[in-house]
Amino acid sequence: MRFLADGDRVKVALVGVGYIGSCVAATLAEGPAEVVGVDTDETLVAELTAGLCRFKEPGLAETLAWGLSSGRLRVTTDFDAMTWADVLVVTVGTPITGDGELDESQLQAACQQIAPRLRRGQLVILKSTVPPGTVRGILVPILEQGGLKCGEDFGVAFSPERISEGKALAELRSLPIVVGGWCPDSVAATQAFWTRMLGVPVLPLESLEAAEIVKLADNWWIDLNIAMGNELARYCSVFGVDVLDVIAAANSIPKGAAMVNILMPSVGVGGSCLTKDPWMVWRSARERGIALRTIETARAANEEMPDYSVRLITDELTKLGKDPSTSRIAVLGLAYKNDTSDLRMTPTLPAVQALRVLGAEVRAHDPLADPDEVERMFGLRPYATLEEAAEGADCLAVLALHRPFERIDFARLRGLVNPSCLVFDGRAYYSRQTIQELHDLGFAYRGIGR
């Protein structure tokens, strides 16, 4: 097949071995591929070579270690290693700048490194999230600076990464993969590559732009849906109704090809995708004279949730006869969602900042997050254990229910916290039985929309 070598073994170069790149590299090394990861970060490459994994993703450290020890995977800072490969998979970051604009510098730099090293017959698959038109209008011209012609000498496809943190490896092995290409040969080669490597369904699209939009549409929908869940929670609270009951009942009917699927409310939306990808769509549309109101509304609704959560906490403390400005609040879970160590754009940061502005003493504990990163971002050193954080607390604010927190022994904590301690449910979704048990132990309870 054009742009994909025949044979049982395919040589793959991952350009960028950060979180996504490491997950893809580890998964590909499990299958019929020999993999090299290339990155400019010398510290990261040295760590991986030594068998250390800085990313807290279930199964990733073990899978990487197996790939490295078996010889199926190696990592390097030498970009010349790309010439060895049949397929180049680009997984570098596309963060946003301080003013909210997309920073494509890493992606453009990667393509500039690839261009002089491209050889005829290679396939370049780009996975980094970008606005539609980026691959065709910006990246392919850079790749052609090496003298080869896209669609004739080498193939190019866009195949967005749609995995979620905490379930990345399982989703890489199961979720359908979207492919849009420069030409039919690029699409066919990429479809064959993913089918052979992962054995998952592949969804070929008619253009690069269609594939670029798919990832943006996914995160646009998720952000909008969470915003509805958050606003529904606020609405339900006015009537003393449990929003989880409403969501469960509302989600019980079919609509279109699936079911109504209102997502859960929480302390807020964070991470590197949902906070920037909708704005990427919004700006791309604005440049073409289209005003997308749902994005503005959803972003505003979700960005209000940390402050709303703090108001719930302070209102409940006041009802309990406690002064929020002199209360001790133990924040359990600082990451942007359950079961990840990722602190990027976490909504717990503005929540903690708002509590401290009020004068509350905030103690924090997150068993997954890096303590040094927590201290740098939050300006406080996290406690090593839940018990240390909870001692003398007037409120236990569960803002990320990591797996270790699913086994919290509230009966034991009762002897450590202050009387009438509030348990604030920011993302735990405790059952009615658990809530009753908390009341029986002498705790107060308040959740978002509950």
Side-chain angles (χ1 to χ4, degrees), residues 72-151:
R72 302 278 288 276
L73 170 64
R74 59 190 175 93
V75 289
T76 180
T77 57
D78 184 1
F79 278 87
D80 287 340
M82 294 186 295
T83 61
W84 160 87
D86 305 305
V87 179
L88 308 179
V89 181
V90 182
T91 56
V92 299
T94 48
I96 56 174
T97 63
D99 58 4
E101 296 292 335
L102 180 69
D103 182 1
E104 298 174 352
S105 59
Q106 294 181 46
L107 188 53
Q108 293 188 38
C111 290
Q112 288 165 355
Q113 291 284 358
I114 293 170
R117 296 173 172 86
L118 269 177
R119 55 178 175 78
R120 285 180 174 80
Q122 283 183 310
L123 174 65
V124 180
I125 302 174
L126 298 135
K127 298 186 73 62
S128 307
T129 305
V130 293
T134 300
V135 175
R136 188 183 304 276
I138 298 176
L139 303 183
V140 167
I142 294 175
L143 292 172
E144 290 184 326
Q145 289 175 0
L148 299 182
K149 186 74 172 175
C150 184

Side-chain angles (χ1 to χ4, degrees), residues 182-220:
W182 177 268
C183 58
D185 285 334
S186 296
V187 174
T190 307
Q191 183 174 5
F193 170 74
W194 290 123
T195 300
R196 191 188 305 179
M197 295 299 102
L198 300 177
V200 298
V202 178
L203 308 177
L205 299 180
E206 292 187 352
S207 68
L208 290 162
E209 290 75 15
E212 288 167 327
I213 291 173
V214 164
K215 170 63 180 293
L216 300 175
D218 280 335
N219 285 342
W220 180 1

